[in-house]
Amino acid sequence: KANTYYLRALEIRELLAKENPKAFRPDLANILNNLGANCNDLKEYEKANTYNLRALEIRELLAKENPKAFRPDLASTLNNLGINCRKLKEYEKANTYLLRALEIRELLAKENPKAFRPDLADILNSLGVNYNGLKESEKANTYYLRALEIQELLAKENPTAFRPGLAGILYNLGLNYNDLKEYEKASTYYLRALEIQELLAKENPTAFRPDLANILSNLGVNYRYLKEYEKSNTYFLRALEIRELLAKENPTAFRPDLAGILNFLGFNYNKLKEYEKANTYFLRALDILELLAKENPKAFRPILAVILYSLGNNYNALKESDKAQRYIQRAREVFESISK
């Protein structure tokens, strides 16, 4: 609905900008920017970029004529284009826009730190995410660490406004060090993020419980890589408790995550040779994944096959070979259906 109004406004502003460019080009750029943002919200990223690119063309001209007034808007449009291209997995293209936005925001933050440091932290974080997408984890860290330095200062000045952003940066650093297989270092960032997310989830459970579950799950995975299965389970079990609640409230959104955490717990108890306990989690994960695989075979049959195979291995460990063979056979059948 918003787009219908924006498109009508666009039509009028295009006419006005033709008659009087100096007066109406800024408004034309703003409406194009709003259309881009709206298409982004609708996950129509290609369409969003058509509007953002038109806004960029105008804002580049405006920023040449009056840098002080229009550089912030130019940086915003470049940032929007970068984020959009990233969502389309066009990471190289995203970087061209984000690096240009960074250059502008560094200048702005020097001139007015209070007003522009938050934007500078955001663009540094976005570049970190982008380089992570390109599997350039070391380069990603250089941007994340710069963003962290700024975000820590901002969160000291205004915890309510900036603690969520700080938690996000810490979480991203944890993910990145995890990708680098530096699990101890990853845990230090995850644990700092966890401390903040626990506070945020107490203040606003609806908004922050999903993030809290994610950080607990990632800590569980991290300690699993370190073969600290007992410690790993303490985090997985806390994540499970939250994800069970979330999946009751919104099954479509959270059942996949619930199945994932049940699978992790099954795997961990298998490693601890607690096969009966492992099976209770694998079987619960199986129930969910069978439903998910019916709804979306392409996305969930591979995971379904893995769970069936894990159950087969687990029953073999319990010397229940008939039952083991049934699950292994079902796993083979699912794998075969995937390859067809």
Side-chain angles (χ1 to χ4, degrees):
K1 199 173 221 178
N3 267 3
T4 60
Y5 294 110
Y6 284 141
L7 287 166
R8 284 180 63 194
L10 176 63
E11 198 175 338
I12 297 162
R13 285 182 177 166
E14 284 176 320
L15 291 170
L16 293 169
K18 276 182 186 173
E19 292 165 10
N20 188 339
K22 191 156 191 174
F24 292 105
R25 276 186 310 179
D27 289 339
L28 176 57
N30 289 342
I31 201 74
L32 288 163
N33 187 67
N34 290 344
L35 274 160
N38 209 51
C39 290
N40 186 289
D41 291 342
L42 293 166
K43 304 193 190 313
E44 297 180 21
Y45 304 121
E46 296 282 3
K47 193 179 278 188
N49 274 355
T50 61
Y51 293 114
N52 286 329
L53 285 165
R54 285 185 63 195
L56 177 64
E57 194 176 345
I58 297 165
R59 285 180 168 173
E60 284 177 319
L61 292 170
L62 294 169
K64 276 182 186 172
E65 293 165 8
N66 188 339
K68 191 155 191 174
F70 293 107
R71 276 187 309 179
D73 289 340
L74 175 57
S76 293
T77 298
L78 289 163
N79 180 56
N80 291 346
L81 278 159
I83 289 170
N84 251 28
C85 289
R86 188 185 77 208
K87 286 174 180 172
L88 291 164
K89 302 197 187 308
E90 298 178 19
Y91 299 114
E92 296 287 0
K93 192 182 278 188
N95 274 352
T96 62
Y97 295 114
L98 292 172
L99 288 166
R100 283 184 63 196
L102 174 64
E103 194 176 342
I104 297 166
R105 285 184 171 171
E106 285 177 319
L107 291 170
L108 294 170
K110 278 182 187 172
E111 292 166 8
N112 188 340
K114 191 154 192 173
F116 292 107
R117 277 187 309 179
D119 290 338
L120 178 57
D122 286 345
I123 202 79
L124 289 163
N125 184 51
S126 291
L127 278 157
V129 171
N130 219 47
Y131 279 112
N132 185 277
L134 288 164
K135 312 288 183 209
E136 296 186 38
S137 302
E138 295 285 1
K139 195 174 273 190
N141 272 355
T142 61
Y143 291 105
Y144 283 144
L145 289 166
R146 284 185 63 196
L148 176 64
E149 195 176 341
I150 298 165
Q151 205 74 40
E152 285 177 319
L153 291 170
L154 294 170
K156 278 182 186 172
E157 293 165 9
N158 188 339
T160 305
F162 293 107
R163 276 187 310 181
L166 177 57
I169 297 274
L170 291 164
Y171 179 78
N172 287 344
L173 276 159
L175 284 175
N176 219 45
Y177 280 113
N178 192 286
D179 289 344
L180 290 165
K181 302 193 190 318
E182 296 186 36
Y183 302 119
E184 296 285 2
K185 197 174 274 189
S187 287
T188 61
Y189 289 108
Y190 282 146
L191 288 165
R192 285 185 62 196
L194 176 63
E195 195 176 342
I196 298 167
Q197 290 289 7
E198 286 176 319
L199 291 171
L200 294 171
K202 278 182 188 172
E203 292 165 7
N204 188 339
T206 305
F208 293 107
R209 276 187 311 180
D211 292 336
L212 177 56
N214 288 342
I215 196 76
L216 288 163
S217 178
N218 281 19
L219 274 160
V221 170
N222 219 49
Y223 284 115
R224 192 183 78 193
Y225 285 134
L226 290 166
K227 302 193 190 312
E228 297 184 35
Y229 300 114
E230 296 283 3
K231 189 181 276 191
S232 173
N233 276 353
T234 62
Y235 294 107
F236 282 147
L237 288 165
R238 286 185 62 198
L240 175 63
E241 194 177 343
I242 297 167
R243 286 185 172 167
E244 285 175 320
L245 291 170
L246 293 171
K248 278 182 188 173
E249 292 165 8
N250 188 339
T252 305
F254 293 108
R255 277 186 310 179
D257 290 338
L258 177 56
I261 207 80
L262 289 163
N263 181 45
F264 287 149
L265 279 158
F267 176 90
N268 262 18
Y269 281 113
N270 179 282
K271 287 291 182 184
L272 291 165
K273 302 194 188 312
E274 296 186 38
Y275 303 117
E276 295 283 4
K277 197 174 273 191
N279 273 354
T280 62
Y281 292 106
F282 281 142
L283 287 165
R284 285 185 62 196
L286 177 63
D287 283 344
I288 298 167
L289 282 164
E290 285 179 319
L291 291 171
L292 293 171
K294 278 181 187 172
E295 294 164 9
N296 188 340
K298 192 168 185 178
F300 293 107
R301 276 188 305 183
I303 310 162
L304 174 60
V306 170
I307 290 278
L308 288 163
Y309 195 74
S310 296
L311 274 159
N313 282 340
N314 222 47
Y315 279 114
N316 266 330
L318 288 164
K319 310 283 191 248
E320 296 185 38
S321 55
D322 287 347
K323 206 174 269 190
Q325 284 310 306
R326 285 202 297 275
Y327 284 108
I328 289 167
Q329 182 56 35
R330 282 187 64 197
R332 287 194 190 113
E333 287 165 9
V334 177
F335 276 126
E336 283 167 14
S337 72
I338 294 165
S339 59
K340 282 179 183 174

